[in-house]
Amino acid sequence: MTPLAIAEHAPLFIVLNPASGRGEADNARRSIESACAQAGREHHIYQVDRHRRLQPCVQEAVERAKAVQGVVVAAGGDGTINAVAQATLGSGCAFGVLPQGTFNYFSRTHGIPTDTDEAMRVLLNEQPRAVQVGQVNDRVFLVNASLGLYAQLLEDREAYKAQFGRRRWVALWSALLTALRGHRPWYLHLSWHGVQRDIRTKTLFVANNALQLHQVGLPEADAPEQGQLAAIALKPLSTLSMLGLLVSGARGRLGEADSVVSFPFESMTVRPMRGHRRVKVATDGEIGWCAMPLEFRVSPEPLWLVRPAVAPELEATRQ
C-alpha cells in the first residue's frame, strides 16, 4: 500500500458541528484559528447550524479539498466524524479529527487527544496513516454498527441527552434503562468464511474499534488491528442476567460470559429468518434504515487519517 503524503502547508477544510459532544464550539473554533495562525496554515471552517446543515458542509469541504490536495477535518462527535469520513473515503484526501464528542473512541484509539489544542498539534505536524474502515451495505462505520437492542439503546440515549444534556452519566443511565426493558429477540441467519449459523439474539453488534473491545474484555479485541471486524451477539437473557452482563462489560470481562457469542470476520452476510425487509441500523451512534440482507465487510480501501505513529491509550490496554 502506497502511503498518502500531504504537503507541509496543505490547507485544512474543517467541518465544525457545535451540536456534538459538550457543545464547546466557540472554544474549539478559537483554538483552531489560533493554532492555524501560529503555524501559518490556510484553513476554512464550515460551521454547522440551522442555516447550514451537516451534509452540505461536508460535501463542500471535500470538493474544495480535492481541488487543492487539502485535508478534510471533522470537528465533532462520532456522528459528525462518521459523516465526514463517509464523504472523504476514496476521495484521495487526507482526513483529520478534532474530537468533540462524549466517548471519542475513534480518536482515542488512534492517539488523537481529546483536547482541541493538543489535537491541533497532531493535525499540523503528523502525516496520514492508513486506518481500517467498516461498511454495512453502503454505510461506513469507524467504531461500530449494530441492530436490535444496542441500536435501540443509542436511539434512546439521544432522547435522554436532548432532555438532560450530553454527559457521560446520562449516556450510562439511559443504557441501563433501555437494557432493563423487555425486547423481542431477532432470528438471524449469518454466513461468513464458509460458516453458516442461525442465531436468536436481542442484538448483533459489529465492532471496528480495538480500544472499545479491549475495555469490555473480548478475545477478538485486536481484530480491527489485524484487518478484521468483530461480531458480538447476545443470547436472549432475563432482566437479572442482563444486569450481570452489563457489570461484566464494565469490569472488562464480557468475553467470559456464556451468553455472548463472538467471532472475527472480514465479510459477513446477515439475513432475517422472519420478515424484516428493512431494519434500523446504528453506525457510530447514528440510526438509519438499511435493506436486508445486511452485508458487513472491511472496506477495500483505508481512510488516510492524520495521526501519531503510536496510540498510548490503546497500547496501555495490551500491557
Side-chain angles (χ1 to χ4, degrees):
M1 183 184 302
T2 304
L4 177 69
I6 55 175
E8 183 179 355
H9 295 289
L12 307 178
F13 296 85
I14 302 165
V15 179
L16 173 62
N17 187 357
S20 297
R22 299 175 296 275
E24 298 177 353
D26 290 341
N27 292 337
R29 185 165 189 140
R30 282 192 290 270
S31 294
I32 293 167
E33 292 174 341
S34 175
C36 288
Q38 291 179 21
R41 194 74 165 265
E42 179 185 349
H43 68 285
H44 307 270
I45 297 177
Y46 303 86
Q47 184 159 328
V48 179
D49 56 35
R50 62 181 181 177
H51 302 296
R52 290 173 60 84
R53 309 298 294 173
L54 177 60
Q55 286 302 330
C57 288
V58 172
Q59 292 301 326
E60 185 176 348
V62 172
E63 289 303 315
R64 291 191 63 187
K66 286 169 61 176
V68 295
Q69 296 183 312
V71 182
V72 184
V73 181
D78 284 342
T80 302
I81 293 169
N82 177 285
V84 181
Q86 175 100 34
T88 306
L89 184 68
S91 68
C93 294
F95 179 63
V97 169
L98 300 173
Q100 308 288 309
T102 304
F103 293 100
N104 300 311
Y105 272 116
F106 179 71
S107 58
R108 290 162 55 202
T109 296
H110 296 294
I112 299 172
T114 55
D115 179 81
T116 303
D117 291 328
E118 295 178 10
M120 281 299 301
R121 281 192 282 274
V122 169
L123 185 60
L124 293 168
N125 294 291
E126 297 288 350
Q127 283 291 316
R129 292 178 168 86
V131 300
Q132 178 173 290
V133 174
Q135 292 180 313
V136 51
N137 294 4
D138 60 346
R139 298 179 65 182
V140 158
F141 60 97
L142 304 177
V143 180
N144 56 59
S146 62
L147 67 150
L149 176 60
Y150 191 77
Q152 185 61 54
L153 182 154
L154 295 174
E155 195 168 23
D156 292 347
R157 185 182 74 182
E158 290 308 303
Y160 279 104
K161 283 184 175 181
Q163 185 175 359
F164 298 110
R166 307 185 73 87
R167 300 178 178 87
R168 286 198 180 199
W169 71 265
V170 175
L172 295 172
W173 178 250
S174 68
L176 178 63
L177 293 180
T178 302
L180 292 178
R181 291 205 305 265
H183 294 271
R184 290 182 297 177
W186 287 75
Y187 295 83
L188 302 171
H189 178 77
L190 312 182
S191 57
W192 75 97
H193 304 333
V195 179
Q196 308 284 326
R197 182 166 184 172
D198 295 335
I199 65 169
R200 179 172 173 259
T201 182
K202 287 193 175 183
T203 190
L204 177 65
F205 181 93
V206 176
N208 184 39
N209 187 274
L211 178 61
Q212 189 176 47
L213 289 169
H214 271 289
Q215 286 187 342
V216 297
L218 284 168
E220 296 81 11
D222 285 323
E225 302 297 302
Q226 299 168 350
Q228 297 180 305
L229 303 170
I232 303 100
L234 306 184
K235 298 175 183 178
L237 300 169
S238 67
T239 298
L240 185 60
S241 296
M242 181 62 75
L243 281 173
L245 200 63
L246 289 173
V247 172
S248 294
R251 295 173 62 192
R253 301 176 66 177
L254 192 63
E256 300 175 12
D258 293 336
S259 55
V260 176
V261 176
S262 61
F263 55 87
F265 69 92
E266 294 175 12
S267 63
M268 176 177 68
T269 301
V270 178
R271 300 179 186 275
M273 296 170 62
R274 298 182 179 179
H276 298 295
R277 294 182 179 180
R278 295 198 311 154
V279 60
K280 281 185 180 180
V281 175
T283 50
D284 296 341
E286 299 297 307
I287 309 293
W289 288 95
C290 286
M292 285 288 201
L294 300 178
E295 302 286 349
F296 291 93
R297 66 169 184 165
V298 174
S299 170
E301 56 187 320
L303 192 64
W304 290 96
L305 176 67
V306 180
R307 51 154 294 184
V310 177
E313 191 170 355
L314 180 58
E315 291 300 317
T317 64
R318 296 169 174 160
Q319 297 176 0

Coordinates of all heavy atoms in Angstrom, one line a residue, residues 108-160:
R108 N -9.4 8.4 20.3 CA -8.6 7.8 21.3 C -7.9 6.5 20.9 O -6.7 6.3 21.2 CB -9.5 7.5 22.6 CG -10.0 8.7 23.3 CD -11.1 8.4 24.2 NE -10.8 7.3 25.1 CZ -11.8 6.6 25.7 NH1 -13.1 6.8 25.4 NH2 -11.5 5.6 26.5
T109 N -8.5 5.7 20.0 CA -7.9 4.5 19.5 C -6.7 4.8 18.7 O -5.7 4.1 18.6 CB -8.9 3.7 18.7 OG1 -10.0 3.3 19.6 CG2 -8.3 2.5 18.1
H110 N -6.7 6.0 18.0 CA -5.7 6.4 17.1 C -4.7 7.4 17.6 O -4.0 8.1 16.9 CB -6.3 6.8 15.7 CG -7.0 5.6 15.1 ND1 -6.4 4.5 14.6 CD2 -8.3 5.5 14.8 CE1 -7.2 3.7 14.1 NE2 -8.4 4.2 14.2
G111 N -4.7 7.6 18.9 CA -3.8 8.5 19.6 C -4.0 10.0 19.4 O -3.1 10.8 19.6
I112 N -5.2 10.4 19.1 CA -5.6 11.8 18.9 C -6.2 12.3 20.2 O -7.2 11.8 20.6 CB -6.5 12.0 17.7 CG1 -5.9 11.5 16.4 CG2 -6.9 13.5 17.6 CD1 -6.8 11.5 15.2
P113 N -5.5 13.3 20.8 CA -6.0 13.8 22.1 C -7.4 14.4 22.0 O -7.8 15.0 21.0 CB -5.0 14.9 22.5 CG -3.8 14.6 21.6 CD -4.3 14.0 20.4
T114 N -8.1 14.4 23.1 CA -9.5 15.0 23.2 C -9.4 16.5 23.3 O -10.4 17.2 23.0 CB -10.3 14.4 24.3 OG1 -9.6 14.5 25.5 CG2 -10.6 12.9 24.0
D115 N -8.3 17.0 23.9 CA -8.1 18.5 24.0 C -7.8 19.0 22.6 O -7.0 18.6 21.8 CB -6.9 18.8 24.9 CG -6.7 20.2 25.0 OD1 -7.4 20.9 25.8 OD2 -5.8 20.8 24.3
T116 N -8.6 20.1 22.2 CA -8.5 20.6 20.9 C -7.1 21.2 20.6 O -6.6 21.0 19.4 CB -9.6 21.7 20.7 OG1 -10.9 21.2 20.9 CG2 -9.6 22.2 19.2
D117 N -6.5 21.9 21.5 CA -5.2 22.4 21.3 C -4.2 21.3 21.0 O -3.4 21.4 20.0 CB -4.7 23.2 22.5 CG -5.5 24.5 22.7 OD1 -5.9 25.1 21.7 OD2 -5.6 25.0 23.8
E118 N -4.2 20.2 21.7 CA -3.3 19.1 21.5 C -3.7 18.4 20.2 O -2.7 18.0 19.5 CB -3.4 18.2 22.7 CG -2.9 18.8 24.0 CD -3.0 17.8 25.2 OE1 -3.3 16.6 24.9 OE2 -2.8 18.2 26.3
A119 N -4.9 18.3 19.9 CA -5.3 17.6 18.7 C -4.9 18.4 17.5 O -4.5 17.9 16.4 CB -6.9 17.4 18.6
M120 N -4.9 19.8 17.6 CA -4.4 20.6 16.5 C -2.9 20.4 16.3 O -2.4 20.4 15.1 CB -4.7 22.1 16.8 CG -6.1 22.5 16.6 SD -6.6 22.3 14.8 CE -5.4 23.4 14.0
R121 N -2.1 20.2 17.3 CA -0.7 19.9 17.1 C -0.5 18.6 16.3 O 0.4 18.6 15.5 CB 0.0 19.8 18.5 CG 0.3 21.2 19.1 CD 1.2 21.1 20.3 NE 0.5 20.6 21.5 CZ -0.1 21.4 22.3 NH1 -0.2 22.7 22.1 NH2 -0.7 20.9 23.4
V122 N -1.3 17.6 16.6 CA -1.2 16.4 15.8 C -1.6 16.7 14.3 O -0.9 16.3 13.4 CB -2.2 15.3 16.3 CG1 -2.3 14.1 15.4 CG2 -1.7 14.8 17.7
L123 N -2.7 17.4 14.1 CA -3.1 17.7 12.8 C -2.1 18.5 12.0 O -2.0 18.3 10.8 CB -4.5 18.5 12.9 CG -5.2 18.8 11.6 CD1 -5.6 17.5 10.8 CD2 -6.5 19.6 11.9
L124 N -1.4 19.4 12.6 CA -0.5 20.3 11.9 C 0.9 19.7 11.7 O 1.7 20.2 10.9 CB -0.3 21.6 12.7 CG -1.6 22.5 12.7 CD1 -1.4 23.6 13.7 CD2 -1.9 23.1 11.3
N125 N 1.2 18.6 12.5 CA 2.6 18.1 12.5 C 2.7 16.6 12.0 O 3.9 16.2 11.7 CB 3.2 18.3 13.8 CG 3.4 19.7 14.2 OD1 4.2 20.4 13.6 ND2 2.6 20.2 15.2
E126 N 1.7 15.9 12.0 CA 1.8 14.5 11.7 C 1.4 14.2 10.2 O 0.8 15.1 9.5 CB 0.9 13.6 12.6 CG 1.3 13.6 14.0 CD 2.6 12.9 14.3 OE1 3.1 12.1 13.4 OE2 3.1 13.0 15.5
Q127 N 1.7 13.0 9.7 CA 1.3 12.6 8.4 C 0.2 11.6 8.4 O -0.1 11.0 9.4 CB 2.6 12.0 7.7 CG 3.6 13.0 7.2 CD 3.1 13.9 6.0 OE1 2.4 13.4 5.1 NE2 3.3 15.2 6.1
P128 N -0.5 11.4 7.2 CA -1.6 10.5 7.2 C -1.1 9.0 7.4 O 0.0 8.7 6.8 CB -2.2 10.7 5.8 CG -1.7 12.0 5.3 CD -0.4 12.2 6.0
R129 N -1.9 8.2 8.1 CA -1.6 6.8 8.2 C -2.9 6.0 7.9 O -4.0 6.5 8.3 CB -1.1 6.5 9.6 CG 0.3 7.0 9.8 CD 0.8 6.7 11.3 NE 2.3 7.0 11.4 CZ 2.8 8.2 11.7 NH1 1.9 9.2 11.9 NH2 4.1 8.4 11.8
A130 N -2.8 4.9 7.3 CA -4.0 4.1 6.9 C -4.7 3.6 8.1 O -4.0 2.9 8.9 CB -3.6 3.0 5.9
V131 N -6.0 3.7 8.2 CA -6.8 3.1 9.2 C -7.9 2.4 8.6 O -8.5 2.8 7.6 CB -7.3 4.1 10.3 CG1 -6.1 4.9 11.0 CG2 -8.2 5.1 9.7
Q132 N -8.3 1.3 9.2 CA -9.4 0.4 8.7 C -10.8 1.1 8.8 O -11.1 1.7 9.8 CB -9.4 -0.9 9.4 CG -10.4 -1.9 9.0 CD -10.2 -3.2 9.6 OE1 -9.3 -3.9 9.3 NE2 -11.1 -3.6 10.6
V133 N -11.6 0.8 7.8 CA -13.0 1.3 7.8 C -13.9 0.1 7.7 O -13.6 -0.8 6.9 CB -13.2 2.3 6.6 CG1 -14.7 2.6 6.5 CG2 -12.4 3.5 6.8
G134 N -15.0 0.1 8.4 CA -16.0 -1.0 8.2 C -17.1 -0.4 7.4 O -17.4 0.8 7.3
Q135 N -17.8 -1.3 6.7 CA -19.0 -1.0 5.9 C -20.1 -1.9 6.2 O -19.9 -3.1 6.3 CB -18.7 -0.9 4.4 CG -17.7 0.2 4.0 CD -17.3 0.2 2.6 OE1 -17.0 -0.9 2.0 NE2 -17.4 1.3 1.9
V136 N -21.4 -1.4 6.2 CA -22.6 -2.2 6.2 C -23.4 -1.7 5.1 O -23.8 -0.6 5.1 CB -23.3 -2.2 7.6 CG1 -23.6 -0.8 8.1 CG2 -24.6 -3.0 7.5
N137 N -23.6 -2.6 4.1 CA -24.2 -2.1 2.8 C -23.5 -0.9 2.3 O -22.3 -1.0 2.1 CB -25.7 -1.9 3.0 CG -26.5 -3.2 3.3 OD1 -25.9 -4.2 3.5 ND2 -27.8 -3.1 3.4
D138 N -24.1 0.2 2.1 CA -23.3 1.4 1.6 C -22.9 2.4 2.7 O -22.5 3.5 2.4 CB -24.2 2.1 0.5 CG -25.5 2.6 1.0 OD1 -25.9 2.2 2.2 OD2 -26.1 3.4 0.4
R139 N -23.0 2.0 3.9 CA -22.8 2.9 5.0 C -21.4 2.6 5.7 O -21.1 1.4 5.9 CB -23.9 2.9 6.1 CG -25.2 3.3 5.5 CD -26.3 3.3 6.5 NE -26.1 4.2 7.6 CZ -26.9 4.3 8.7 NH1 -27.9 3.5 8.8 NH2 -26.6 5.2 9.6
V140 N -20.7 3.6 6.0 CA -19.4 3.5 6.7 C -19.5 3.5 8.2 O -20.4 4.1 8.7 CB -18.5 4.7 6.2 CG1 -17.3 4.9 7.2 CG2 -17.9 4.4 4.8
F141 N -18.7 2.7 8.9 CA -18.6 2.8 10.3 C -17.2 2.7 10.7 O -16.4 1.9 10.2 CB -19.5 1.9 11.1 CG -19.2 0.4 10.9 CD1 -18.4 -0.3 11.8 CD2 -19.8 -0.3 9.8 CE1 -18.2 -1.7 11.6 CE2 -19.6 -1.6 9.6 CZ -18.8 -2.3 10.5
L142 N -16.8 3.6 11.6 CA -15.4 3.6 12.1 C -15.3 3.0 13.5 O -14.2 2.4 13.8 CB -14.9 5.1 12.3 CG -15.0 5.9 11.0 CD1 -14.6 7.4 11.3 CD2 -14.2 5.3 9.9
V143 N -16.3 3.0 14.3 CA -16.3 2.4 15.6 C -17.1 1.1 15.7 O -16.6 0.1 16.0 CB -16.8 3.4 16.7 CG1 -16.8 2.8 18.1 CG2 -16.0 4.7 16.6
N144 N -18.4 1.2 15.4 CA -19.3 0.0 15.4 C -20.6 0.2 14.6 O -20.9 1.4 14.3 CB -19.6 -0.4 16.9 CG -20.3 0.7 17.7 OD1 -21.3 1.2 17.3 ND2 -19.6 1.1 18.8
A145 N -21.2 -0.9 14.3 CA -22.5 -0.9 13.7 C -23.3 -2.0 14.4 O -22.8 -3.0 14.9 CB -22.4 -1.2 12.2
S146 N -24.6 -1.8 14.5 CA -25.4 -2.7 15.3 C -26.9 -2.6 14.9 O -27.4 -1.7 14.3 CB -25.3 -2.4 16.8 OG -25.8 -1.1 17.1
L147 N -27.6 -3.7 15.2 CA -29.1 -3.7 15.1 C -29.6 -4.4 16.4 O -28.9 -5.1 17.1 CB -29.5 -4.5 13.9 CG -29.3 -6.0 13.8 CD1 -30.4 -6.6 12.9 CD2 -27.9 -6.3 13.2
G148 N -30.9 -4.2 16.6 CA -31.6 -4.7 17.8 C -31.4 -3.9 19.0 O -31.5 -2.6 18.9
L149 N -31.1 -4.5 20.1 CA -31.1 -3.8 21.4 C -30.1 -2.6 21.5 O -30.4 -1.6 22.0 CB -30.8 -4.8 22.5 CG -30.7 -4.2 23.9 CD1 -32.0 -3.5 24.4 CD2 -30.3 -5.3 24.9
Y150 N -28.9 -2.9 20.9 CA -27.9 -1.8 21.0 C -28.3 -0.6 20.2 O -28.1 0.5 20.6 CB -26.5 -2.3 20.6 CG -25.4 -1.4 20.9 CD1 -24.9 -1.2 22.2 CD2 -24.9 -0.6 19.9 CE1 -23.9 -0.3 22.5 CE2 -23.8 0.3 20.2 CZ -23.4 0.4 21.5 OH -22.4 1.3 21.8
A151 N -28.9 -0.8 19.0 CA -29.4 0.3 18.2 C -30.5 1.1 18.9 O -30.5 2.3 18.9 CB -29.8 -0.2 16.8
Q152 N -31.4 0.3 19.6 CA -32.4 1.0 20.4 C -31.8 1.8 21.5 O -32.3 2.9 21.9 CB -33.4 -0.1 20.9 CG -34.6 0.5 21.6 CD -35.4 1.4 20.7 OE1 -35.9 0.9 19.7 NE2 -35.7 2.6 21.2
L153 N -30.8 1.2 22.2 CA -30.1 1.9 23.3 C -29.6 3.3 22.8 O -29.7 4.3 23.5 CB -29.0 1.0 23.8 CG -28.1 1.5 24.9 CD1 -27.5 0.2 25.6 CD2 -27.0 2.4 24.5
L154 N -29.0 3.3 21.6 CA -28.4 4.5 21.1 C -29.5 5.5 20.8 O -29.4 6.7 21.0 CB -27.6 4.3 19.9 CG -26.3 3.4 20.1 CD1 -25.7 3.1 18.8 CD2 -25.4 4.2 21.0
E155 N -30.6 5.0 20.2 CA -31.8 5.9 19.9 C -32.4 6.5 21.2 O -32.6 7.7 21.2 CB -32.8 5.1 19.1 CG -33.8 6.0 18.4 CD -34.7 5.2 17.5 OE1 -34.8 4.0 17.6 OE2 -35.3 5.9 16.6
D156 N -32.5 5.7 22.2 CA -33.0 6.2 23.5 C -32.0 7.2 24.1 O -32.4 8.2 24.7 CB -33.2 5.0 24.5 CG -34.4 4.1 24.0 OD1 -35.2 4.5 23.1 OD2 -34.5 3.0 24.6
R157 N -30.7 6.9 24.0 CA -29.7 7.8 24.6 C -29.8 9.2 24.0 O -29.7 10.2 24.8 CB -28.3 7.2 24.3 CG -27.2 8.0 24.9 CD -25.8 7.4 24.6 NE -25.4 7.7 23.2 CZ -24.3 7.3 22.7 NH1 -23.5 6.5 23.3 NH2 -24.0 7.6 21.4
E158 N -30.0 9.3 22.7 CA -30.1 10.6 22.1 C -31.4 11.4 22.7 O -31.3 12.6 22.9 CB -30.2 10.5 20.6 CG -28.9 10.1 20.0 CD -27.8 10.9 20.4 OE1 -27.8 12.2 20.2 OE2 -26.8 10.4 20.9
A159 N -32.4 10.7 22.9 CA -33.6 11.3 23.5 C -33.3 11.8 24.9 O -33.7 12.9 25.3 CB -34.8 10.3 23.5
Y160 N -32.6 11.0 25.7 CA -32.3 11.4 27.1 C -31.3 12.6 27.1 O -31.4 13.5 27.9 CB -31.7 10.2 27.9 CG -32.7 9.3 28.4 CD1 -32.9 8.1 27.8 CD2 -33.4 9.6 29.6 CE1 -33.9 7.2 28.4 CE2 -34.4 8.7 30.1 CZ -34.6 7.5 29.5 OH -35.5 6.7 30.0

